[in-house]
Amino acid sequence: QVQLVESGGGSVQAGGSLRLSCTASGYTYSNACMGWFRQAPGKEREAVAVIYIGGGSTYYADSVKGRFTISQDNAKNTLYLQMNRLKPEDTAIYYCAAYSGRYDTYYVWGCGFGYWGQGTQVTVSS
């Protein structure tokens, strides 16, 4: 059974930084993709950043390019999202997700996502 558990959310002032972590258990894909998504109140879930585990290619939403960095530590089965120069519009629940194959329901940047974490709240005040 695959479990994704996010941590690292919190409240910061605009211009500050946070690092989100996502620890994966039971996930055996070695050449798939994982990513971070977010959903703000009243808005649809959107992709923030995706990384291809095997090759390391990364993709970012235009709104976070140059400010956010996605990375992985395979030894720790952990995915990270370093968020710098945060803005109030970054306020949302952030979700970790991973490719599942048959259960994928969200597709972006050439990858499908079917495993989801519970989310962690990020609040940026002005």
Side-chain angles (χ1 to χ4, degrees):
Q1 183 179 358
V2 175
Q3 280 193 317
L4 304 175
V5 180
E6 303 98 335
S7 61
S11 297
V12 295
Q13 289 192 325
S17 299
L18 284 173
R19 188 177 80 157
L20 305 183
S21 300
C22 171
T23 301
S25 59
Y27 192 65
T28 59
Y29 292 99
S30 60
N31 192 29
C33 47
M34 297 186 71
W36 289 97
F37 297 74
R38 67 186 181 186
Q39 188 166 18
K43 295 188 177 181
E44 294 187 353
R45 188 171 297 190
E46 64 173 347
V48 174
V50 165
I51 186 168
Y52 277 75
I53 298 173
S57 297
T58 57
Y59 300 85
Y60 296 92
D62 287 342
S63 59
V64 306
K65 280 181 182 177
R67 300 188 298 123
F68 291 11
T69 303
I70 188 171
S71 62
Q72 62 187 65
D73 185 332
N74 291 334
K76 297 181 179 180
N77 294 325
T78 301
L79 182 73
Y80 300 100
L81 184 68
Q82 178 66 45
M83 305 185 295
N84 298 327
R85 291 184 281 132
L86 283 161
K87 304 176 180 180
E89 51 263 44
D90 294 319
T91 295
I93 298 174
Y94 284 70
Y95 298 91
C96 172
Y99 168 81
S100 71
R102 62 187 297 182
Y103 305 115
D104 291 344
T105 57
Y106 195 113
Y107 298 87
V108 67
W109 295 314
C111 191
F113 295 87
Y115 295 123
W116 297 86
Q118 293 299 307
T120 186
Q121 177 71 46
V122 171
T123 302
V124 184
S125 58
S126 57

